[in-house]
Amino acid sequence: MFQDEAEKVEIPAIAQLTQQGWAFVPGAELAPGQPGDERSYYRDVVLGKRLEAALRRLNPWISEENLRKVLREFTHPNFACLSEMQH
């Protein structure tokens, strides 16, 4: 089952994104404890260091306080579940 999904979905999606200029990083390189410390826990879905670097690059005028607020919005959303977002 997994092999079928990889061949039909994952590999073509990675190919398309890399053709558009995105960088592919294998999941094992993003595991907690790997060099670079991309994330502390497997439950961390946002790569905070990369997000912060991108925000600084795209918004060079942003203050440290506002940068922290934006990072917090991404990493700690106020919604307990997706169903609350629909109201």
Side-chain angles (χ1 to χ4, degrees):
M1 183 72 158
F2 172 75
Q3 187 63 29
D4 192 45
E5 180 180 343
E7 289 177 7
K8 292 183 179 179
V9 179
E10 186 174 343
I11 294 170
I14 291 169
Q16 182 177 9
L17 290 169
T18 55
Q19 288 172 355
Q20 294 176 358
W22 291 88
F24 171 69
V25 180
E29 292 181 23
L30 301 173
Q34 294 299 312
D37 291 326
E38 291 282 350
R39 60 183 182 177
S40 301
Y41 306 98
Y42 281 107
R43 69 176 178 261
D44 295 342
V45 296
V46 175
L47 302 177
K49 291 178 183 178
R50 290 182 188 219
L51 175 60
E52 182 176 347
L55 289 170
R56 287 181 187 278
R57 185 178 70 252
L58 296 169
N59 305 284
W61 58 85
I62 195 168
S63 69
E64 288 298 314
E65 180 181 350
N66 285 338
L67 176 65
R68 298 290 161 232
K69 287 179 183 178
V70 172
L71 287 170
R72 181 108 179 126
E73 286 292 320
F74 275 98
T75 57
H76 298 85
N78 289 326
F79 302 104
C81 65
L82 291 176
S83 63
E84 288 185 26
M85 294 176 64
Q86 297 172 356
H87 293 113

